[in-house]
Amino acid sequence: MVRGRLSVVGWILLLSSPTAGLASVADLPRTQDGINIDGLLDDLAWQDAVQIDLDKETRPGENIAARVTTVAYLVEDGEYLYVAFDARDPDPTAIRAYLRDRDSAWNDDFVGIVLDSYGDERRAFEFFANPLGVQMDLTNDDINQNEDASWDAIWDSAGRINGSGYIVEMQIPLNQIRFPEVDGKQTWGIDLLRFYPREHRYRFSNNAQDRNVNCYLCQLEKLQGLAGVEPGRDIEIVPTLTASQSSTTEDPVLEPLRSGGSDVDAGVSIRWGVTQDTTVNLAINPDFSQVEADVAQLDVNNQFALFFPEKRPFFLEGADYFSTPMRAVFTRTVADPSVGLKATGKRGNHTYGFFAAEDEITNLIFPGAFGSDSESLAQRNTAVVGRYSLGFGQSSSVGALVTGRKGDGYHNYVGGLDARWKISDQHNVRMQLLRSSTEYPEDVASEFEQPLGSFDGSAAQFNYNYNSRDWFGFLRYSDRGADFRADSGFIPQVNVQQKVAGLGRTWHGEEDDWYTQIRLNGDWDIAHDDDGRMLEREVDVDLSVSGPMQSHFRISVSTRDRLFDDVLYHENDVSLFGEFQPRGGLKLGMRVSVGDQVDFDNSRLGDELRLRPFVIWNINRHLLARYQANFLTLDTKDGASIFDAAVHDVRLTWQFSVRSFLRLTTQFQDIKRNPDVYIDTVDARSRDVGRQLLYSYKLNPQTVFFVGYSDALVDDDQLDRLTTTDRTWFMKIGYAWTP
């Protein structure tokens, strides 16, 4: 890449020229000069760039003058979009910037660009970087008001802190962005952003934000340019090699740890932009195991299955295309696929998605009104999901969803329609209707008390939302029949009809107020089963305050009647939550709840105390410590202990650079039960420990190298100490080849 340096005259012209404020439409210029992405604004091409001031503070201030100066530079060369930010700071020593893995620097200073590349105010791509060049990228689904950080593009960035602030440069390949084929110039919505965390977390932009308008992308100004640009060949081939060696035991009381030998697998993933509108992903013998450990959750006194988010890249890309009001698609149900195929796209007002996988394991959840069971079958199934949405009007749409899983003696098919109607800037309605057909293997159906043979069920959901600057409210209705199953999704409760109504008020602080926002809201809900029995009735009131040191405090008071085991219990509880950042790089928080709680194992009412502290501490620029825990005690009304449980999740990360880190994760669960007050026989104490040491190097999201070690230990009444049940060494190499 050719690199040029500005002459003295060029620098004078660049620094003295007036910054161009963005009108309703700004022109994106093209340059013939090269740009070296190094965090320095010294390349000749930046003289060709349009300059845009980020002169508005939109949070916590409401469209007031930005308190620091930020200038963005934009230019393109037919292959890349180049973006730079000159972020001035009156005290550069106060800049918060740490070396981190991608998509994890949200508490730092950072800048970025949001691109509504179709100009339809529905979906956007977001690119951010902190002052050291750490990348964060997302998709923004404005219809569902959801930002998804799981999307990872391949782009370049660099940042440098200097004596007057910091500079960030970005080079974004146009083939990483979907945009329509048009004659002449493209017209994109654009938002240029700077986040400035000090006493408060300030947000600066080139766009004003009307808080009475319940959409984001509809308020962006436009950028025009890229005439005649085509994205070119969009093919990405990623061969992978994984190797592991495991030693396991299923019964540590009777069997010692046994080596399972070594396992080496090769696979390949292909991403092909068939057209500018459609992308196809194919994975053959993929490594769909996730490298990062899930966040530890306390599995005690729970009625329903715990939810763990998806982390595997193949399923994360384009996940928002499959989003519907009900969680009818949850890709972690695909456990061990031998092959996967996915296609996603958008053409005009039409959005579509499809994926299919051959899975070696069939994971099942058996939902009910009062709890759920689960089972994992060592048998293959074919999983298919199809999604289509037609947009109309301003951010309105109608859509269809079909899912299917079929195996030996087993099937689950789901199909239905959904819609979103944006009535006005403040009012919108969402709804969905689904129908399912299910059949389990006869032995499985008998064991888990499921219907024999094929059976059908239905589900419906209706949501109304009102949002304005000062008021918000909602109405919800859902009906999930007893025989409804969504085995490709995550719906652990059925045989329930629920109605919810809520209303809230927001007060916004002014410049001299000690608070930035106060919210008071409450909701009422009631649920019945298909026979009309009341399952739950609850009233909840919340008061929250945001203030100095980026603090947020909330108090919640609730009262509910809950039916369990044919007894209606009355519960009252109070919860407190608080978090703040006493200084840069340190975030502390705690959630405390106390009140009545049903003991589901023994069908009685008890007294519960729950503490959930967390700490995020950037010890220095390279070292990050994260700790979160969940302490839970439940006593009888007579004061006898039922159980005392705790789970800890500790992670220490040394970040060598923006590309590589070493992380140690330790998770520990300890449950002490009082067998004298249990109906069934239980262990007086059980302990579980999981540890992982991981080294990661990422040239980009697909060109990666991982090597690590993990083990698991357990202890209960049959053991006299923590005993290892699993020990694994693993390695993965992936290389992104773009022919």
Side-chain angles (χ1 to χ4, degrees):
M1 181 177 291
V2 177
R3 180 180 179 185
R5 291 191 175 272
L6 291 176
S7 65
V8 174
V9 174
W11 268 112
I12 293 173
L13 291 173
L14 179 62
L15 296 176
S16 63
S17 61
T19 301
L22 187 63
S24 58
V25 177
D27 288 322
L28 176 65
R30 179 167 295 175
T31 183
Q32 302 301 320
D33 296 312
I35 294 179
N36 186 39
I37 304 301
D38 56 6
L40 297 171
L41 278 172
D42 60 354
D43 296 290
L44 287 171
W46 291 122
Q47 293 185 60
D48 300 325
V50 60
Q51 302 174 39
I52 302 172
D53 275 324
L54 280 65
D55 55 358
K56 301 173 183 66
E57 180 185 316
T58 60
R59 193 169 58 238
E62 189 170 0
N63 302 322
I64 63 176
R67 60 194 66 218
V68 290
T69 300
T70 314
V71 181
Y73 300 81
L74 289 86
V75 69
E76 55 92 4
D77 65 1
E79 185 177 0
Y80 298 98
L81 172 65
Y82 296 93
V83 186
F85 295 86
D86 185 358
R88 302 300 175 95
D89 197 304
D91 181 10
T93 62
I95 292 172
R96 301 182 182 184
Y98 302 92
L99 289 171
R100 293 292 168 256
D101 193 18
R102 62 179 297 124
D103 292 332
S104 60
W106 302 109
N107 289 324
D108 290 3
D109 284 72
F110 63 90
V111 291
I113 184 170
V114 177
L115 297 169
D116 174 12
S117 56
Y118 277 86
D120 60 0
E121 302 172 357
R122 295 173 180 271
R123 192 171 187 267
F125 301 96
E126 303 183 357
F127 300 86
F128 297 104
N130 81 349
L132 302 178
V134 175
Q135 295 182 356
M136 299 167 286
D137 45 21
L138 313 90
T139 57
N140 188 317
D141 176 6
D142 205 36
I143 297 292
N144 299 306
Q145 297 187 340
N146 176 52
E147 285 184 301
D148 185 2
S150 63
W151 175 71
D152 287 321
I154 297 177
W155 53 292
D156 196 12
S157 62
R160 293 191 186 215
I161 299 174
N162 54 46
S164 58
Y166 66 91
I167 290 173
V168 166
E169 290 182 304
M170 302 177 179
Q171 181 190 54
I172 303 171
L174 294 173
N175 65 8
Q176 297 290 302
I177 305 171
R178 295 179 179 180
F179 52 87
E181 295 181 7
V182 298
D183 294 328
K185 295 182 178 181
Q186 298 276 337
T187 301
W188 295 359
I190 180 175
D191 199 14
L192 297 159
L193 294 169
R194 177 181 180 182
F195 290 87
Y196 183 72
R198 298 298 185 270
E199 183 71 1
H200 304 290
R201 190 170 186 262
Y202 299 98
R203 180 186 187 273
F204 308 128
S205 173
N206 61 303
N207 293 291
Q209 281 197 317
D210 186 345
R211 295 179 181 177
N212 269 314
V213 176
N214 188 26
C215 62
Y216 166 53
L217 299 181
C218 69
Q219 301 190 57
L220 304 191
E221 295 179 336
K222 305 299 181 183
L223 184 70
Q224 195 172 75
L226 299 166
V229 168
E230 297 181 359
R233 298 182 67 184
D234 184 14
I235 300 177
E236 183 179 290
I237 302 173
V238 184
T240 60
L241 179 68
T242 60
S244 63
Q245 193 282 324
S246 297
S247 301
T248 62
T249 177
E250 294 185 1
D251 189 344
V253 177
L254 301 176
E255 298 179 359
L257 205 64
R258 293 183 178 180
S259 174
S262 300
D263 186 20
V264 178
D265 280 311
V268 63
S269 297
I270 301 172
R271 179 184 179 274
W272 177 27
V274 181
T275 68
Q276 180 53 27
D277 307 299
T278 303
T279 299
V280 173
N281 298 75
L282 173 66
I284 301 172
N285 194 29
D287 170 40
F288 275 169
S289 61
Q290 62 183 63
V291 174
E292 293 282 356
D294 284 313
V295 174
Q297 298 189 50
L298 190 57
D299 190 9
V300 61
N301 205 44
N302 293 314
Q303 285 181 277
F304 300 99
L306 298 176
F307 178 81
F308 292 92
E310 179 64 88
K311 293 185 177 182
R312 298 169 294 179
F314 177 86
F315 293 111
L316 288 173
E317 183 178 358
D320 58 308
Y321 282 80
F322 302 95
S323 175
T324 65
M326 285 184 272
R327 190 174 278 143
V329 178
F330 178 52
T331 51
R332 282 191 72 150
T333 58
V334 181
D336 185 21
S338 57
V339 62
L341 175 68
K342 181 170 64 175
T344 55
K346 176 178 172 60
R347 188 173 185 85
N349 292 329
H350 306 272
T351 304
Y352 42 89
F354 168 86
F355 80 76
E358 284 289 330
D359 199 357
E360 302 298 321
I361 296 175
T362 301
N363 287 331
L364 299 172
I365 290 180
F366 306 105
F370 300 100
S372 63
D373 288 319
S374 62
E375 178 67 311
S376 184
L377 306 179
Q379 69 176 51
R380 301 185 66 179
N381 75 82
T382 301
V384 177
V385 174
R387 171 75 170 140
Y388 170 77
S389 178
L390 172 65
F392 66 92
Q394 187 183 26
S395 300
S396 298
S397 63
V398 293
L401 175 73
V402 293
T403 73
R405 295 174 79 197
K406 183 173 176 57
D408 185 14
Y410 160 73
H411 75 258
N412 174 249
Y413 305 122
V414 177
L417 303 173
D418 61 274
R420 183 184 192 274
W421 178 28
K422 183 177 179 180
I423 303 170
S424 69
D425 286 336
Q426 291 80 38
H427 304 265
N428 70 78
V429 170
R430 297 198 69 193
M431 61 192 75
Q432 185 171 21
L433 298 172
L434 294 174
R435 185 78 178 167
S436 71
S437 173
T438 308
E439 182 177 9
Y440 297 118
E442 187 172 334
D443 57 334
V444 174
S446 299
E447 179 181 355
F448 291 93
E449 300 179 345
Q450 299 298 303
L452 296 174
S454 182
F455 59 96
D456 300 334
S458 60
Q461 185 155 322
F462 173 88
N463 300 337
Y464 162 77
N465 292 286
Y466 171 81
N467 279 284
S468 68
R469 180 184 184 276
D470 300 325
W471 291 93
F472 58 95
F474 57 87
L475 298 172
R476 306 272 191 273
Y477 173 77
S478 64
D479 183 356
R480 297 187 289 274
D483 290 335
F484 177 75
R485 302 289 185 271
D487 290 355
S488 294
F490 186 82
I491 299 179
Q493 185 179 25
V494 296
N495 191 13
V496 58
Q497 301 172 22
Q498 186 179 40
K499 305 178 185 72
V500 186
L503 180 66
R505 174 74 160 90
T506 303
W507 292 268
H508 303 275
E510 301 294 337
E511 181 70 22
D512 296 330
D513 291 330
W514 64 269
Y515 66 91
T516 57
Q517 187 182 86
I518 297 176
R519 301 186 80 181
L520 176 65
N521 62 280
D523 65 72
W524 168 89
D525 71 80
I526 190 168
H528 296 82
D529 67 10
D530 289 352
D531 295 327
R533 292 186 302 170
M534 188 182 74
L535 302 178
E536 183 178 279
R537 179 174 53 211
E538 180 179 25
V539 176
D540 181 81
V541 178
D542 296 324
L543 174 66
S544 64
V545 180
S546 299
M549 291 191 288
Q550 300 185 56
S551 60
H552 181 76
F553 296 93
R554 183 173 68 250
I555 180 171
S556 301
V557 179
S558 64
T559 180
R560 76 180 64 83
D561 295 308
R562 188 205 302 260
L563 182 68
F564 184 76
D565 204 11
D566 293 326
V567 177
L568 189 65
Y569 296 96
H570 184 72
E571 300 173 330
N572 296 307
D573 63 70
V574 177
S575 67
L576 302 171
F577 172 79
E579 66 176 20
F580 70 108
Q581 297 188 37
R583 65 173 182 81
L586 179 61
K587 186 174 185 178
L588 306 173
M590 170 77 83
R591 186 187 303 273
V592 180
S593 60
V594 60
D596 305 307
Q597 172 63 49
V598 173
D599 173 10
F600 298 116
D601 287 332
N602 304 290
S603 299
R604 63 186 164 206
L605 194 64
D607 292 321
E608 180 185 87
L609 172 64
R610 186 186 294 265
L611 306 175
R612 283 177 279 190
F614 69 88
V615 178
I616 303 173
W617 184 17
N618 294 278
I619 299 171
N620 58 38
R621 183 160 287 182
H622 296 269
L623 183 59
L624 171 66
R626 289 178 177 268
Y627 170 74
Q628 62 182 35
N630 191 345
F631 300 91
L632 177 62
T633 63
L634 186 64
D635 299 334
T636 68
K637 287 297 181 179
D638 296 329
S641 173
I642 301 173
F643 65 77
D644 189 344
V647 62
H648 307 263
D649 191 313
V650 183
R651 303 181 187 224
L652 289 173
T653 304
W654 182 269
Q655 195 82 30
F656 298 99
S657 67
V658 295
R659 303 191 189 281
S660 67
F661 66 80
L662 180 68
R663 176 174 297 145
L664 174 64
T665 300
T666 301
Q667 298 174 338
F668 175 53
Q669 178 172 274
D670 188 3
I671 302 175
K672 301 174 184 177
R673 294 182 174 90
N674 180 2
D676 294 337
V677 299
Y678 273 79
I679 296 173
D680 297 323
T681 301
V682 295
D683 287 324
R685 188 175 189 184
S686 60
R687 295 186 294 168
D688 297 273
V689 176
R691 299 177 296 192
Q692 183 191 72
L693 182 65
L694 172 68
Y695 173 76
S696 166
Y697 179 85
K698 299 178 184 177
L699 185 62
N700 57 53
Q702 303 300 328
T703 301
V704 298
F705 172 71
F706 300 113
V707 62
Y709 166 84
S710 66
D711 60 21
L713 301 91
V714 300
D715 183 23
D716 55 29
D717 289 357
Q718 285 72 49
L719 298 167
D720 57 6
R721 65 183 184 278
L722 281 167
T723 304
T724 303
T725 59
D726 181 90
R727 182 183 295 130
T728 301
W729 295 90
F730 58 90
M731 181 271 292
K732 175 180 177 179
I733 299 174
Y735 177 75
W737 177 48
T738 53

